[in-house]
Amino acid sequence: MAGHVAAMRALRAGQHPLGFDPFGEHDDSRSEASDDHDVEPAGELNSDDEKLASSGVKAGAASSIGGDPAKAVSPPAAAKAEALKALNTLWTSACTAIYEDEDAEVFCVRWSPDDTLLAAGCGDGAVRIFNADSGKLTYVLERDAAMARLPTTCLRFRPPTEVSKTKNVLLVGNADGTVQHWHITSRKCMHTITEENNQVYAIDYGCDGRQFASGGKDYTVRVYDEATKTCVVSLCGGFGKEHAGHSNRIFALKFSPSDAQILLSAGWDNTVLVWDLRTETTLYSLYGPHICGDALDLLGDRLLTGSWRPQQQLEVWDLRAKEVEHHIAWKPSATGPTDPCQVYAAQFSKCEVAGRRLIAAGGSGANELRLFDAETRGAIGRLALPRGVYGLDFSHGGTMLAVAGGDSAVRVLAVPPHGGELRADAEAKAKAAAPHKARGTDEAVELDASALEVD
């Protein structure tokens, strides 16, 4: 058990050097039959993966199915440091260890549809439910004592629909290969699906709530019927398959918000696959993003990807052109760490905030979260953490942002009503404290960069 937990922590915390196998095993390959009989072994990145993860991919490169490599976007020039104000934290709740031999790093967070509850999946296998207003721990969902206490890796609330009568149902994916339906208020596990010889790293619901999907260690995307809890589609490559599936682990899944039959998947193989569930085939693929967490999101025809690498971490893709629309520069902080932030989680805001969409992203290395304007691509603010950011989620109302931290804490941040106010306030304070010339002179006022960022 300890090996599984340590492996997940190393994977998520980025404590392994690039190219090193975080699970201490051999290469992920379908030819390694012994790997099929044990949930614990995992694999190192291949040589191409190592190069991409350490130096960044060629921006905008797409597969022959969907994109013209000749239209690749040039990599951005080296960015100068920028001063950003710290985002306001509404509350922080520590996930106190339930078991003596286990810590409770937070790997994922998710808001309930009405934004009254916040679910957090932890390294000890328990799901903690917090009150959104106070941050008070309200419920703890613990698996049966006979089950291994492996990390909870992904969460989704069942969408409210006319078909589903029961509210507060949470879909939980675990590193032991199980997918569970929990009723939060009664703290009962309603159903458990076990995917043999698998570790589940990603789940998502279709927009109509009739289907959900899972993905993980065995390179296969499985689609389940919500009513019967049976697998209706398995999406993978192999002999007899018309289209190739994933060739490495899957860490992100995203259903189209407007079409429940379109599903996107991505992971360690640096490829985003766009599936049509009606034909059980890929429509096209996008090559480039190195996805290691819940870092895949859709807004209309725009796809956001967050990659675990030191350069070109955040990209927005135009799905009509099937190419990178633009990169979002992650400039070094003027007062923060010099290490680059390698992204585990990225998401569009679920609604417009003060007339605009936002993007939140966070990861390891610099151990920080940043908030960006989706249109101008400018950074609005940041939050520095003692350890990595493993997951995040915007509230449905757009006023709050939940953060899953490797320091075993859940944080809820206030989404600023207008990003410009952050810098304006900081600049006003800096100007008031900075030396200046007499009124009427043409010389610019000097600003102390450290005054622009408040940690």
Short mmCIF file of all heavy atoms in Angstrom, two decimals, residues 13-72:
data_model
loop_
_atom_site.label_atom_id
_atom_site.label_comp_id
_atom_site.label_asym_id
_atom_site.label_seq_id
_atom_site.Cartn_x
_atom_site.Cartn_y
_atom_site.Cartn_z
N ALA A 13 3.69 15.31 -7.19
CA ALA A 13 4.52 16.36 -6.60
C ALA A 13 5.72 16.69 -7.48
O ALA A 13 6.43 17.65 -7.22
CB ALA A 13 5.00 15.94 -5.22
N GLY A 14 5.94 15.91 -8.53
CA GLY A 14 7.07 16.19 -9.40
C GLY A 14 8.40 15.98 -8.71
O GLY A 14 9.38 16.64 -9.00
N GLN A 15 8.46 15.04 -7.75
CA GLN A 15 9.68 14.82 -7.01
C GLN A 15 10.65 13.92 -7.76
O GLN A 15 11.78 13.75 -7.32
CB GLN A 15 9.34 14.18 -5.65
CG GLN A 15 8.56 15.12 -4.75
CD GLN A 15 8.06 14.43 -3.51
OE1 GLN A 15 8.06 13.20 -3.44
NE2 GLN A 15 7.61 15.19 -2.54
N HIS A 16 10.20 13.33 -8.88
CA HIS A 16 11.07 12.49 -9.68
C HIS A 16 11.72 13.34 -10.75
O HIS A 16 11.10 14.23 -11.30
CB HIS A 16 10.28 11.36 -10.33
CG HIS A 16 9.13 11.83 -11.15
ND1 HIS A 16 7.95 12.27 -10.58
CD2 HIS A 16 8.99 11.96 -12.49
CE1 HIS A 16 7.12 12.64 -11.54
NE2 HIS A 16 7.72 12.47 -12.70
N PRO A 17 12.99 13.10 -11.08
CA PRO A 17 13.62 13.82 -12.18
C PRO A 17 12.97 13.44 -13.49
O PRO A 17 12.42 12.35 -13.63
CB PRO A 17 15.09 13.37 -12.11
CG PRO A 17 15.05 12.05 -11.42
CD PRO A 17 13.91 12.12 -10.45
N LEU A 18 13.01 14.33 -14.45
CA LEU A 18 12.40 14.05 -15.74
C LEU A 18 13.01 12.81 -16.37
O LEU A 18 14.22 12.64 -16.41
CB LEU A 18 12.58 15.25 -16.67
CG LEU A 18 11.85 16.52 -16.21
CD1 LEU A 18 12.22 17.66 -17.12
CD2 LEU A 18 10.36 16.31 -16.20
N GLY A 19 12.15 11.94 -16.90
CA GLY A 19 12.62 10.73 -17.54
C GLY A 19 12.73 9.56 -16.59
O GLY A 19 12.81 8.43 -17.00
N PHE A 20 12.74 9.84 -15.28
CA PHE A 20 12.81 8.76 -14.29
C PHE A 20 11.43 8.21 -14.03
O PHE A 20 10.46 8.93 -13.97
CB PHE A 20 13.44 9.30 -13.01
CG PHE A 20 13.50 8.27 -11.90
CD1 PHE A 20 14.41 7.24 -11.96
CD2 PHE A 20 12.65 8.35 -10.82
CE1 PHE A 20 14.47 6.31 -10.96
CE2 PHE A 20 12.70 7.41 -9.81
CZ PHE A 20 13.62 6.39 -9.87
N ASP A 21 11.35 6.91 -13.84
CA ASP A 21 10.08 6.24 -13.58
C ASP A 21 9.64 6.50 -12.14
O ASP A 21 10.27 6.02 -11.21
CB ASP A 21 10.26 4.74 -13.81
CG ASP A 21 9.07 3.92 -13.34
OD1 ASP A 21 8.00 4.52 -13.11
OD2 ASP A 21 9.22 2.71 -13.22
N PRO A 22 8.58 7.28 -11.93
CA PRO A 22 8.18 7.62 -10.57
C PRO A 22 7.67 6.43 -9.77
O PRO A 22 7.62 6.48 -8.56
CB PRO A 22 7.06 8.65 -10.78
CG PRO A 22 6.51 8.33 -12.12
CD PRO A 22 7.68 7.87 -12.92
N PHE A 23 7.27 5.36 -10.46
CA PHE A 23 6.75 4.19 -9.76
C PHE A 23 7.81 3.11 -9.59
O PHE A 23 7.53 2.04 -9.08
CB PHE A 23 5.56 3.60 -10.53
CG PHE A 23 4.34 4.46 -10.48
CD1 PHE A 23 4.25 5.57 -11.30
CD2 PHE A 23 3.29 4.17 -9.64
CE1 PHE A 23 3.13 6.38 -11.28
CE2 PHE A 23 2.16 4.97 -9.62
CZ PHE A 23 2.09 6.07 -10.43
N GLY A 24 9.03 3.39 -10.05
CA GLY A 24 10.12 2.45 -9.84
C GLY A 24 10.00 1.17 -10.62
O GLY A 24 10.46 0.12 -10.19
N GLU A 25 9.36 1.24 -11.81
CA GLU A 25 9.20 0.03 -12.60
C GLU A 25 9.69 0.26 -14.02
O GLU A 25 10.41 1.21 -14.30
CB GLU A 25 7.72 -0.39 -12.59
CG GLU A 25 7.21 -0.83 -11.21
CD GLU A 25 7.87 -2.11 -10.72
OE1 GLU A 25 8.35 -2.89 -11.56
OE2 GLU A 25 7.90 -2.32 -9.51
N HIS A 26 9.26 -0.61 -14.93
CA HIS A 26 9.74 -0.56 -16.30
C HIS A 26 8.82 0.24 -17.19
O HIS A 26 7.79 0.74 -16.76
CB HIS A 26 9.88 -2.00 -16.84
CG HIS A 26 10.83 -2.82 -16.04
ND1 HIS A 26 12.18 -2.59 -16.03
CD2 HIS A 26 10.61 -3.87 -15.20
CE1 HIS A 26 12.77 -3.48 -15.23
NE2 HIS A 26 11.84 -4.25 -14.72
N ASP A 27 9.17 0.32 -18.44
CA ASP A 27 8.42 1.11 -19.41
C ASP A 27 7.00 0.61 -19.59
O ASP A 27 6.76 -0.59 -19.60
CB ASP A 27 9.16 1.06 -20.76
CG ASP A 27 8.44 1.86 -21.83
OD1 ASP A 27 8.33 3.07 -21.66
OD2 ASP A 27 8.02 1.25 -22.81
N ASP A 28 6.06 1.56 -19.70
CA ASP A 28 4.67 1.18 -19.99
C ASP A 28 4.61 0.62 -21.40
O ASP A 28 4.79 1.33 -22.37
CB ASP A 28 3.76 2.40 -19.91
CG ASP A 28 3.26 2.64 -18.52
OD1 ASP A 28 3.57 1.81 -17.64
OD2 ASP A 28 2.57 3.64 -18.30
N SER A 29 4.33 -0.63 -21.53
CA SER A 29 4.26 -1.25 -22.86
C SER A 29 3.31 -2.42 -22.80
O SER A 29 3.31 -3.19 -21.84
CB SER A 29 5.64 -1.72 -23.32
OG SER A 29 5.54 -2.46 -24.51
N ARG A 30 2.48 -2.56 -23.81
CA ARG A 30 1.54 -3.67 -23.83
C ARG A 30 2.25 -5.02 -24.00
O ARG A 30 1.67 -6.06 -23.79
CB ARG A 30 0.51 -3.46 -24.95
CG ARG A 30 -0.36 -2.25 -24.69
CD ARG A 30 -1.48 -2.16 -25.70
NE ARG A 30 -2.29 -0.98 -25.47
CZ ARG A 30 -3.26 -0.90 -24.58
NH1 ARG A 30 -3.53 -1.92 -23.82
NH2 ARG A 30 -3.95 0.21 -24.44
N SER A 31 3.50 -4.98 -24.42
CA SER A 31 4.24 -6.22 -24.58
C SER A 31 4.73 -6.75 -23.24
O SER A 31 5.14 -7.88 -23.13
CB SER A 31 5.43 -6.01 -25.52
OG SER A 31 6.35 -5.08 -24.96
N GLU A 32 4.70 -5.91 -22.18
CA GLU A 32 5.15 -6.35 -20.87
C GLU A 32 3.98 -7.01 -20.14
O GLU A 32 3.23 -6.38 -19.42
CB GLU A 32 5.67 -5.15 -20.07
CG GLU A 32 6.84 -4.44 -20.72
CD GLU A 32 8.09 -4.62 -19.89
OE1 GLU A 32 7.96 -4.99 -18.72
OE2 GLU A 32 9.17 -4.43 -20.41
N ALA A 33 3.82 -8.31 -20.34
CA ALA A 33 2.67 -9.01 -19.79
C ALA A 33 2.62 -8.94 -18.28
O ALA A 33 1.56 -8.90 -17.68
CB ALA A 33 2.70 -10.47 -20.26
N SER A 34 3.80 -8.95 -17.63
CA SER A 34 3.80 -8.95 -16.18
C SER A 34 3.16 -7.69 -15.61
O SER A 34 2.61 -7.71 -14.52
CB SER A 34 5.24 -9.05 -15.66
OG SER A 34 6.01 -7.95 -16.12
N ASP A 35 3.20 -6.60 -16.35
CA ASP A 35 2.62 -5.34 -15.87
C ASP A 35 1.10 -5.40 -15.83
O ASP A 35 0.47 -4.60 -15.16
CB ASP A 35 3.08 -4.21 -16.79
CG ASP A 35 2.70 -2.85 -16.24
OD1 ASP A 35 2.96 -2.60 -15.05
OD2 ASP A 35 2.15 -2.05 -17.00
N ASP A 36 0.53 -6.37 -16.56
CA ASP A 36 -0.92 -6.47 -16.62
C ASP A 36 -1.51 -7.16 -15.39
O ASP A 36 -2.73 -7.19 -15.23
CB ASP A 36 -1.35 -7.24 -17.87
CG ASP A 36 -1.01 -6.49 -19.14
OD1 ASP A 36 -0.87 -5.26 -19.07
OD2 ASP A 36 -0.86 -7.15 -20.18
N HIS A 37 -0.68 -7.73 -14.54
CA HIS A 37 -1.19 -8.50 -13.42
C HIS A 37 -1.03 -7.78 -12.09
O HIS A 37 -1.33 -8.34 -11.05
CB HIS A 37 -0.48 -9.85 -13.35
CG HIS A 37 -0.71 -10.67 -14.58
ND1 HIS A 37 -1.93 -11.22 -14.90
CD2 HIS A 37 0.12 -10.99 -15.60
CE1 HIS A 37 -1.83 -11.88 -16.05
NE2 HIS A 37 -0.60 -11.75 -16.48
N ASP A 38 -0.55 -6.55 -12.11
CA ASP A 38 -0.32 -5.84 -10.86
C ASP A 38 -0.65 -4.38 -11.05
O ASP A 38 -0.22 -3.76 -12.00
CB ASP A 38 1.15 -6.01 -10.44
CG ASP A 38 1.38 -5.48 -9.03
OD1 ASP A 38 0.43 -4.97 -8.42
OD2 ASP A 38 2.51 -5.59 -8.57
N VAL A 39 -1.39 -3.82 -10.13
CA VAL A 39 -1.80 -2.43 -10.27
C VAL A 39 -0.66 -1.47 -9.96
O VAL A 39 -0.68 -0.33 -10.34
CB VAL A 39 -3.00 -2.13 -9.34
CG1 VAL A 39 -2.57 -2.07 -7.90
CG2 VAL A 39 -3.70 -0.84 -9.73
N GLU A 40 0.37 -1.96 -9.27
CA GLU A 40 1.40 -1.05 -8.80
C GLU A 40 2.41 -0.62 -9.86
O GLU A 40 2.75 0.55 -9.94
CB GLU A 40 2.15 -1.67 -7.62
CG GLU A 40 3.19 -0.73 -7.05
CD GLU A 40 3.76 -1.26 -5.74
OE1 GLU A 40 3.36 -2.35 -5.31
OE2 GLU A 40 4.60 -0.57 -5.17
N PRO A 41 2.93 -1.52 -10.74
CA PRO A 41 3.96 -1.09 -11.66
C PRO A 41 3.50 0.01 -12.58
O PRO A 41 2.34 0.12 -12.92
CB PRO A 41 4.27 -2.38 -12.46
CG PRO A 41 3.87 -3.49 -11.55
CD PRO A 41 2.68 -2.97 -10.82
N ALA A 42 4.43 0.83 -12.97
CA ALA A 42 4.14 1.90 -13.91
C ALA A 42 5.39 2.14 -14.73
O ALA A 42 6.36 1.41 -14.60
CB ALA A 42 3.70 3.16 -13.18
N GLY A 43 5.38 3.17 -15.56
CA GLY A 43 6.48 3.27 -16.49
C GLY A 43 7.13 4.61 -16.60
O GLY A 43 6.56 5.64 -16.28
N GLU A 44 8.37 4.61 -17.04
CA GLU A 44 9.07 5.85 -17.27
C GLU A 44 8.68 6.42 -18.63
O GLU A 44 8.14 5.72 -19.48
CB GLU A 44 10.57 5.60 -17.21
CG GLU A 44 11.06 4.62 -18.26
CD GLU A 44 12.54 4.33 -18.11
OE1 GLU A 44 13.12 4.73 -17.10
OE2 GLU A 44 13.10 3.70 -19.01
N LEU A 45 8.95 7.68 -18.83
CA LEU A 45 8.69 8.29 -20.13
C LEU A 45 9.72 7.78 -21.13
O LEU A 45 10.87 7.51 -20.79
CB LEU A 45 8.79 9.81 -20.01
CG LEU A 45 7.93 10.46 -18.91
CD1 LEU A 45 8.12 11.97 -18.94
CD2 LEU A 45 6.47 10.11 -19.11
N ASN A 46 9.30 7.69 -22.39
CA ASN A 46 10.26 7.29 -23.41
C ASN A 46 11.14 8.49 -23.78
O ASN A 46 10.97 9.59 -23.28
CB ASN A 46 9.56 6.70 -24.63
CG ASN A 46 8.58 7.68 -25.25
OD1 ASN A 46 8.84 8.88 -25.30
ND2 ASN A 46 7.45 7.18 -25.73
N SER A 47 12.09 8.28 -24.68
CA SER A 47 13.04 9.34 -25.01
C SER A 47 12.37 10.57 -25.58
O SER A 47 12.75 11.71 -25.27
CB SER A 47 14.09 8.81 -26.00
OG SER A 47 13.44 8.36 -27.20
N ASP A 48 11.33 10.37 -26.41
CA ASP A 48 10.61 11.52 -26.95
C ASP A 48 9.90 12.28 -25.85
O ASP A 48 9.87 13.52 -25.84
CB ASP A 48 9.60 11.07 -28.01
CG ASP A 48 10.28 10.56 -29.27
OD1 ASP A 48 11.43 10.97 -29.51
OD2 ASP A 48 9.66 9.78 -30.00
N ASP A 49 9.31 11.54 -24.91
CA ASP A 49 8.62 12.17 -23.79
C ASP A 49 9.58 13.02 -22.97
O ASP A 49 9.28 14.12 -22.55
CB ASP A 49 7.98 11.13 -22.88
CG ASP A 49 6.79 10.45 -23.54
OD1 ASP A 49 6.19 11.06 -24.43
OD2 ASP A 49 6.48 9.32 -23.15
N GLU A 50 10.79 12.47 -22.73
CA GLU A 50 11.77 13.18 -21.93
C GLU A 50 12.16 14.50 -22.58
O GLU A 50 12.26 15.53 -21.93
CB GLU A 50 13.01 12.32 -21.73
CG GLU A 50 12.75 11.06 -20.89
CD GLU A 50 13.99 10.21 -20.77
OE1 GLU A 50 15.09 10.76 -20.85
OE2 GLU A 50 13.86 8.99 -20.61
N LYS A 51 12.37 14.47 -23.89
CA LYS A 51 12.76 15.69 -24.59
C LYS A 51 11.65 16.72 -24.53
O LYS A 51 11.88 17.91 -24.32
CB LYS A 51 13.09 15.36 -26.05
CG LYS A 51 14.34 14.51 -26.22
CD LYS A 51 14.57 14.17 -27.68
CE LYS A 51 15.79 13.28 -27.85
NZ LYS A 51 15.99 12.90 -29.27
N LEU A 52 10.42 16.26 -24.73
CA LEU A 52 9.28 17.19 -24.69
C LEU A 52 9.07 17.77 -23.31
O LEU A 52 8.82 18.96 -23.14
CB LEU A 52 8.01 16.47 -25.15
CG LEU A 52 7.94 16.16 -26.64
CD1 LEU A 52 6.82 15.17 -26.91
CD2 LEU A 52 7.74 17.42 -27.45
N ALA A 53 9.20 16.92 -22.30
CA ALA A 53 8.95 17.40 -20.94
C ALA A 53 10.04 18.32 -20.46
O ALA A 53 9.79 19.23 -19.68
CB ALA A 53 8.83 16.20 -19.99
N SER A 54 11.26 18.13 -20.92
CA SER A 54 12.36 18.94 -20.42
C SER A 54 12.60 20.21 -21.22
O SER A 54 13.09 21.20 -20.70
CB SER A 54 13.66 18.12 -20.41
OG SER A 54 13.97 17.68 -21.72
N SER A 55 12.22 20.20 -22.50
CA SER A 55 12.52 21.37 -23.32
C SER A 55 11.31 21.99 -23.98
O SER A 55 11.43 22.99 -24.67
CB SER A 55 13.54 20.98 -24.40
OG SER A 55 13.01 19.97 -25.23
N GLY A 56 10.14 21.40 -23.83
CA GLY A 56 8.94 21.95 -24.46
C GLY A 56 8.77 21.39 -25.85
O GLY A 56 9.73 20.98 -26.51
N VAL A 57 7.53 21.38 -26.36
CA VAL A 57 7.27 20.83 -27.67
C VAL A 57 7.30 21.91 -28.72
O VAL A 57 7.27 23.10 -28.41
CB VAL A 57 5.89 20.15 -27.71
CG1 VAL A 57 5.82 19.05 -26.68
CG2 VAL A 57 4.78 21.16 -27.48
N LYS A 58 7.32 21.50 -29.95
CA LYS A 58 7.23 22.47 -31.03
C LYS A 58 5.81 22.99 -31.06
O LYS A 58 4.87 22.26 -31.31
CB LYS A 58 7.57 21.80 -32.37
CG LYS A 58 7.62 22.80 -33.52
CD LYS A 58 8.08 22.12 -34.79
CE LYS A 58 8.17 23.12 -35.94
NZ LYS A 58 8.62 22.50 -37.18
N ALA A 59 5.68 24.26 -30.78
CA ALA A 59 4.35 24.83 -30.58
C ALA A 59 3.47 24.67 -31.80
O ALA A 59 3.89 24.90 -32.92
CB ALA A 59 4.48 26.31 -30.24
N GLY A 60 2.23 24.26 -31.52
CA GLY A 60 1.23 24.21 -32.57
C GLY A 60 1.29 22.97 -33.43
O GLY A 60 0.48 22.81 -34.34
N ALA A 61 2.27 22.07 -33.21
CA ALA A 61 2.36 20.88 -34.04
C ALA A 61 1.13 20.02 -33.85
O ALA A 61 0.68 19.78 -32.75
CB ALA A 61 3.62 20.09 -33.66
N ALA A 62 0.58 19.54 -34.95
CA ALA A 62 -0.62 18.71 -34.89
C ALA A 62 -0.37 17.44 -35.68
O ALA A 62 0.52 17.36 -36.50
CB ALA A 62 -1.82 19.46 -35.45
N SER A 63 -1.16 16.43 -35.43
CA SER A 63 -1.00 15.18 -36.15
C SER A 63 -1.45 15.34 -37.59
O SER A 63 -2.10 16.30 -37.96
CB SER A 63 -1.83 14.09 -35.47
OG SER A 63 -3.20 14.31 -35.75
N SER A 64 -1.13 14.34 -38.41
CA SER A 64 -1.55 14.40 -39.80
C SER A 64 -3.06 14.32 -39.93
O SER A 64 -3.62 14.70 -40.94
CB SER A 64 -0.90 13.23 -40.57
OG SER A 64 -1.28 11.99 -39.98
N ILE A 65 -3.72 13.83 -38.85
CA ILE A 65 -5.17 13.77 -38.89
C ILE A 65 -5.77 15.14 -38.78
O ILE A 65 -6.76 15.46 -39.40
CB ILE A 65 -5.68 12.87 -37.74
CG1 ILE A 65 -5.12 11.45 -37.91
CG2 ILE A 65 -7.19 12.83 -37.70
CD1 ILE A 65 -5.47 10.54 -36.77
N GLY A 66 -5.15 15.99 -37.95
CA GLY A 66 -5.79 17.27 -37.68
C GLY A 66 -4.85 18.42 -37.53
O GLY A 66 -4.66 18.92 -36.43
N GLY A 67 -4.21 18.90 -38.58
CA GLY A 67 -3.41 20.10 -38.43
C GLY A 67 -2.24 20.13 -39.38
O GLY A 67 -1.77 19.10 -39.85
N ASP A 68 -1.75 21.32 -39.64
CA ASP A 68 -0.63 21.51 -40.54
C ASP A 68 0.57 21.96 -39.74
O ASP A 68 0.61 23.08 -39.23
CB ASP A 68 -1.00 22.59 -41.58
CG ASP A 68 0.12 22.79 -42.59
OD1 ASP A 68 1.15 22.08 -42.50
OD2 ASP A 68 -0.03 23.66 -43.47
N PRO A 69 1.61 21.12 -39.59
CA PRO A 69 2.78 21.50 -38.82
C PRO A 69 3.44 22.77 -39.35
O PRO A 69 4.14 23.47 -38.63
CB PRO A 69 3.71 20.29 -38.95
CG PRO A 69 2.78 19.15 -39.24
CD PRO A 69 1.68 19.73 -40.07
N ALA A 70 3.24 23.07 -40.63
CA ALA A 70 3.83 24.27 -41.20
C ALA A 70 3.26 25.54 -40.59
O ALA A 70 3.86 26.61 -40.67
CB ALA A 70 3.62 24.29 -42.72
N LYS A 71 2.07 25.44 -39.97
CA LYS A 71 1.44 26.59 -39.36
C LYS A 71 1.78 26.72 -37.88
O LYS A 71 1.12 27.43 -37.15
CB LYS A 71 -0.08 26.50 -39.52
CG LYS A 71 -0.54 26.54 -40.96
CD LYS A 71 -2.05 26.45 -41.03
CE LYS A 71 -2.56 26.50 -42.46
NZ LYS A 71 -4.03 26.42 -42.52
N ALA A 72 2.83 26.01 -37.46
CA ALA A 72 3.16 26.01 -36.04
C ALA A 72 3.47 27.42 -35.55
O ALA A 72 4.08 28.22 -36.24
CB ALA A 72 4.39 25.12 -35.79
#
